[in-house]
Amino acid sequence: MNYKGVDWIAFTRFNPKRPLYERDIMNFVCLPDDAVVNLTYRKKWMSDEIWAICKGGRGMPKRLLICLYLGDEEKMGPILPLRFARVLSAETHGEVAFAQPGVEKDTRVVTISAALDRRPSRRLWDGLPAYIAESRIYDANAPLTRYLEAAVPQGPNEQAEPPLGWHEQVDLLRERSPQARSGRHWALFGGFRSIEGAADPQRLQGKRAETRKVTTYRLLGGQSYEVDCHLHEESLKDLAEVPICATVVGPHLEVFPANLSQVGLGATLNFLVVAQRKFSLETVGVNFTLTTNQTSASEGVIAAPRGSAPEFHCRVEIGPPRTFWALTFLLLLLGSVLLSFSSDSIREIYDLAKLLSGGQWPSLSQSLLNWVAVLSKGLGGVLLASASVYALRKVPFGK
């Protein structure tokens, strides 16, 4: 997608007291394209105009730029672009309590669900501070007071600008932000890819996509897929021998142990994912988390502390192809019909066709009719066998 500016800018920042915030920052950088992320802000961090838009559902933004704010509530800091995103939905809530001493209670929040898009270009990375300062989105001499802000019309133009690579973006973050270096484990997660060279698994489209809040893939039952994960070189030394753990929540999906290989100073893990053959739509969860080199007698390998590494949680819908039942029915119907043909029925069909056409067709010998009947039964048997192989490699019940 070509960006001719953005509609809104969403700011976030590192906060040691908020590990989920820090996890989300790493997710913005490390999750695959089209992964769904959720950003939640209290009303105090946005203008009344933006709150009214979210509450009314009209005039919602289409393009969002997620930025990292390196300051805090008391001092100003640099601002770095993390990721573009497409807004899927926005919801306002009024019953969320914040029982924090010394902080005014504010129960009004907005949650924006967005699908991650392309990374920023190097030109945007270098030019964003000047753009934000010129557009007066914030005061360069004061702390940020709004974390969800409307962008000015002449926003960053990303058309024809190559996006940063993942390793390059991580290196720039580590260079500019001490918080991005200390105790962080950087890993890039890829989406599901068919090992048979087919197109990427179908993602939810239409109205369902507009309401989802979790990354969701649709896989074909009986097919195999791959998921690639890349590890930054600085993260390898603190992680386990197999640094990423894949956990499946629910039946009908198997994730095989990852194959770890060296790529430059970093590494790549390749997971094989097999979806069991299903005759109706099933949903399971898959969680990819990083593991440290520490172990526990009761838990085995310990996951990286929350906030120190990205986490990829997704849902997988497993079902038959769209044409599964239609093709199965057609094969069974044609096979059964062809098996029922005899020489007498073939003669009757031939005579009826000759009568309807009004032509002078030659008469068929009994031996020819017998051969046609044999061929018909043979073809019917082939069609029934094909339907059994296609549809009933596993019986349509149980696992």
Side-chain angles (χ1 to χ4, degrees):
M1 171 179 272
N2 293 326
Y3 283 92
K4 297 181 179 179
V6 294
D7 298 314
W8 284 2
I9 298 179
F11 298 94
T12 185
R13 68 182 179 92
F14 285 114
N15 186 343
K17 297 180 180 179
R18 301 286 189 271
L20 292 178
Y21 287 2
E22 304 205 342
R23 178 208 62 182
D24 289 344
I25 291 172
M26 303 190 76
N27 282 352
F28 298 148
V29 177
C30 297
L31 293 191
D33 289 345
D34 289 333
V36 178
V37 295
N38 297 292
L39 303 97
T40 301
Y41 296 97
R42 280 187 283 173
K43 184 182 182 302
K44 63 177 292 186
W45 298 119
M46 68 188 75
S47 66
D48 293 338
E49 179 183 359
I50 289 182
W51 172 262
I53 291 175
C54 295
K55 189 173 183 179
R58 296 183 179 181
M60 287 299 302
K62 296 181 179 179
R63 297 182 297 274
L64 190 72
L65 177 60
I66 304 172
C67 295
L68 175 62
Y69 171 58
L70 297 182
D72 55 32
E73 296 181 11
E74 297 180 356
K75 63 179 180 179
M76 181 56 196
I79 292 178
L80 307 176
L82 295 180
R83 199 77 173 262
F84 288 100
R86 303 186 309 276
V87 176
L88 301 176
S89 64
E91 295 181 2
T92 56
H93 311 274
E95 300 299 331
V96 180
F98 295 88
Q100 184 176 351
V103 177
E104 180 184 356
K105 185 177 180 180
D106 186 351
T107 62
R108 296 171 297 177
V109 299
V110 60
T111 298
I112 296 177
S113 298
L116 293 178
D117 209 320
R118 59 173 288 169
R119 302 180 188 280
S121 66
R122 183 57 189 262
R123 179 179 176 183
L124 177 60
W125 182 275
D126 295 332
L128 182 65
Y131 156 71
I132 293 181
E134 292 174 2
S135 60
R136 299 183 179 180
I137 291 177
Y138 75 97
D139 184 351
N141 299 316
L144 196 65
T145 57
R146 291 179 180 174
Y147 281 76
L148 190 60
E149 187 62 89
V152 296
Q154 54 270 46
N157 189 344
E158 287 289 275
Q159 189 173 7
E161 290 288 338
L164 291 170
W166 176 73
H167 280 92
E168 184 180 6
Q169 186 179 20
V170 171
D171 288 340
L172 288 172
L173 276 171
R174 289 169 51 82
E175 177 185 326
R176 296 290 301 276
S177 170
Q179 299 98 318
R181 292 193 300 269
S182 177
R184 305 289 174 187
H185 309 297
W186 294 96
L188 172 67
F189 297 100
F192 288 79
R193 183 183 71 252
S194 172
I195 65 174
E196 299 178 354
D200 288 341
Q202 179 184 0
R203 297 181 177 89
L204 296 184
Q205 303 293 331
K207 293 183 178 179
R208 293 190 64 192
E210 299 305 314
T211 58
R212 62 191 169 109
K213 295 183 179 180
V214 178
T215 308
T216 305
Y217 297 94
R218 181 171 293 165
L219 308 184
L220 296 181
Q223 300 295 319
S224 299
Y225 301 88
E226 289 180 321
V227 176
D228 290 329
C229 304
H230 301 276
L231 288 159
H232 192 269
E233 58 195 60
E234 294 297 328
S235 300
L236 284 175
K237 57 186 178 182
D238 298 324
L239 296 176
E241 183 178 350
V242 180
I244 298 179
C245 174
T247 304
V248 178
V249 182
H252 317 308
L253 193 73
E254 298 178 74
V255 180
F256 290 81
N259 176 33
L260 181 65
S261 59
Q262 191 83 27
V263 178
L265 298 178
T268 297
L269 284 84
N270 177 267
F271 290 92
L272 174 64
V273 181
V274 178
Q276 297 177 0
R277 194 166 185 83
K278 297 304 298 178
F279 296 84
S280 60
L281 197 62
E282 302 283 349
T283 302
V284 300
V286 183
N287 303 323
F288 293 93
T289 54
L290 273 69
T291 55
T292 66
N293 53 16
Q294 301 176 354
T295 59
S296 168
S298 59
E299 301 179 5
V301 178
I302 298 177
R306 173 153 284 177
S308 68
E311 301 174 12
F312 184 26
H313 304 291
C314 61
R315 293 173 186 164
V316 175
E317 292 187 350
I318 308 171
R322 294 181 181 275
T323 59
F324 176 80
W325 290 113
L327 182 57
T328 301
F329 176 79
L330 181 62
L331 290 174
L332 292 174
L333 176 63
L334 291 178
S336 300
V337 170
L338 291 174
L339 278 175
S340 67
F341 283 167
S342 64
S343 59
D344 292 337
S345 61
I346 294 174
R347 182 190 299 276
E348 292 175 358
I349 294 174
Y350 182 80
D351 292 341
L352 178 61
K354 181 170 65 174
L355 177 64
L356 294 176
S357 65
Q360 299 296 321
W361 294 8
S363 299
L364 300 179
S365 64
Q366 186 63 39
S367 60
L368 179 60
L369 291 172
N370 292 337
W371 273 109
V372 173
V374 170
L375 291 175
S376 173
K377 293 181 183 297
L379 181 58
V382 169
L383 292 178
L384 288 179
S386 300
S388 299
V389 171
Y390 175 70
L392 301 177
R393 280 181 283 180
K394 283 192 176 182
V395 293
F397 55 82
K399 193 174 181 181

